[in-house]
Amino acid sequence: MSEKFTPLWEVFIRARNGLAHKHAGSIHAADAEMALQAARDVYTRRGEGQSLWVVRSDQIVASDPSDKDMMFEPTASKIYRHPTFYEIPEEVGNM
Amino acid sequence: MYSQGLIGADGSTVETEEFLEAFQKRVDAEQKIEPNDPMPEGYRRTLVRQISQHAHSEIVGMLPEGNWITRAPTLRRKAALLAKVQDEGGHGLYLYSAAETLGVSREELTDQLLTGAAKYSSIFNYPALTWADIGAIGWLVDGAAIMNQIALCRCSYGPYSRAMIRICKEESFHQRQGYEILLTLCRGTDAQKKMAQEAVNRIWWPALMMFGPHDSASTHSDQSMHWKIKRFSNDNLRDKFVNATVPQAEYLGLTVPDPNLKWNEEKQGYDYSDIDWDEFWRVVKGDGICNRDRIKARQKAHREGAWVREAALAFAEKRAGAADAARTAAE
Amino acid sequence: MVDNNLLFQYLLRLGDDQQILSQRLSEWCGHAPTLEEDLALANIALDLLGQARSLYTYAGEVEGAGRDEDQLAFLRYENEYTNALIVERPNGDFAHTITRQLFYSVYMDLHWNALLSSKDETVRAIAAKAVKEVDYHVRHAAEWVIRLGQGTEESHQRMVEALEEFAIYTGELFEMDDLAQQMFKAGVGVDLTLLRPEWEQQIAAVLGEAGLRMPEVNWMQTGGRSGEHTEHLGHLLCELQYMQRAYPGMTW
């Protein structure tokens, strides 16, 4: 197979103002401008978006799943970060 | 559109008992598996094969219907058909992307399709001969596909499941547009009704074949079910499809080409003839009436597009080079 | 007061341009150089088809003879189609298709923009929707022209040939025949000759960035507006009209 690889890009769409961009999928394109056009043509055909981001997939730095325990377990016991940890008498009302 | 029950996937795997058990536990707990998660090699291989067969089916599936875009009888029908065939291209693209999360490239997958190494759903090796076939394909082929794809939305592999959810949402108009075409024909002239009946006669059996071999003959089915790559058996989905479709045919005033089709009160479902499995395997193995044409059409598009893809890459390199040079000069 | 028959002819002409180019672009479906581009070309074809439908539907209303979009789109003779020659030419390779897209989209973008101040309310509404669509068609074509012009030796050469082929059909786009004159005078249509300098400038800018230039043209081909076509339109219509001709008077 002699075909050169065309870079892969991740596509993020903001469905409407006020919302964050959300990952929608990926496309292939040779450069950023073409990636943006391809993202528009592929992922916004049904009025899905108001704004688009494209990011080269190889530029994304991801955490390693095998580090999952070290990275994300320790937070599980920090229940004092959540409002329900604290007891406020009902009479005080909403807080 | 969906590739039929996976053909020839090898789910065998070499990991330790302990690893496999831990993995199975996650799957059983309905936890989704994501791209970088540890997974058995057999699981990965089965998925790559199934997702890429599915993607190839979407891409090849553009051809029989694409054949009618320029001849669609009204502008409304033309717009719907073009949008539908375009969707299939999009769905192929989503699926290739899902497969790519497993470490294969689009280029490799395309190469497998063009060299004949990869399979795709054999339904697309049947011709679309009249306008009524466009109706019958939408109603029956997309109908069968949706049956399969809804089940796949719950697949254990995250990217595949997400692609399926998006695809199902987009495809919900495909079957309806097909049925509407046939409904219009069946309310039309005798010639139109005849055209509709002939199309259903042509496409009924190939549509039933889309669900793949009998469960008893589907070699790697058990492992796929166990890993929740597949959620329902081939025969189970096929029965569901027949039960849903026969009343729709009756509403159209059309018959399905099966003299043994009969309602079975006891099982609350239809009994129907066995599929001609010789034909099934013949077409899968390359001897359907359109197999060669389909692959040739894909090869031609790929070959004739090569210079375009090269030019885009060459331009990107030049531009990146120029940007680097400008940066160096500025420093 | 605008003469209804003239307005009808004018709307058909505009509709034919969009429909015939849409038909050509839809031939790419399933055969484009990349999957992404397959979807892009289908999007453009669908935009054009939508514009054609609005124009034909309005033309049918103006005519007042009960003809709908399909009767106008499918059931006329070859010499009754008055699209410009450029849109009926075969697609050729991707460079040809993209070159035509650039020439035509820049022209239509200017044209629709000018029609935003048409005295005809429906034409204005159609233009308002079309302008946004064609803005994107221009961008899509221009980005590709730049890449193909600068990409490889082969892609550059193919672009040179494509420019050579389509340049001779661009003059017709700006012709002011009797119908165009009358519609301009009535305040419905546009003085197309006024669009030309801007068109030339925009094309030159894109070609300049692509390392290409507009070829010298000795003679601009013309004829489409009066129903005198190239040999290619007849074949295109054979496909387009096949169902309506083979099964006359049926509902689909």
Side-chain angles (χ1 to χ4, degrees), chain A residues 3 6 28 45-46 65, chain B residues 36 87 97 100 106-107 309:
Chain A
E3 175 110 10
T6 298
H28 285 264
R45 288 174 295 134
R46 287 172 166 83
Chain B
N36 294 327
D87 268 352
S97 301
E100 282 177 281
R106 167 102 63 94
E107 286 81 359
R309 298 189 296 275

Side-chain angles (χ1 to χ4, degrees), chain C residues 158-174:
Chain C
R158 285 176 186 263
M159 277 306 299
V160 169
E161 285 165 27
L163 288 166
E164 211 41 78
E165 164 140 358
F166 282 115
I168 59 171
Y169 299 104
T170 56
E172 187 183 36
L173 298 172
F174 304 99

Side-chain angles (χ1 to χ4, degrees), chain B residues 206-264:
Chain B
L208 293 194
M209 292 177 195
M210 286 173 70
F211 294 95
H214 275 316
D215 297 341
S216 55
S218 185
T219 28
H220 301 287
S221 228
D222 286 353
Q223 182 62 73
S224 279
M225 297 272 280
H226 205 49
W227 276 333
K228 299 191 195 286
I229 292 174
K230 249 172 103 155
R231 307 289 313 227
F232 295 95
S233 79
N234 294 353
D235 287 331
N236 185 302
L237 286 171
R238 186 163 25 233
D239 288 346
K240 250 174 96 174
F241 174 74
V242 172
N243 292 341
T245 309
V246 170
Q248 294 166 357
E250 283 166 1
Y251 184 81
L252 290 171
L254 297 176
T255 56
V256 301
D258 182 356
N260 298 317
L261 184 91
K262 217 172 117 230
W263 178 255
N264 181 329

Side-chain angles (χ1 to χ4, degrees), chain B residues 187-198:
Chain B
R187 288 173 177 166
T189 64
D190 289 348
Q192 285 174 301
K193 198 163 176 191
K194 181 163 175 273
M195 192 192 280
Q197 183 62 62
E198 285 169 356

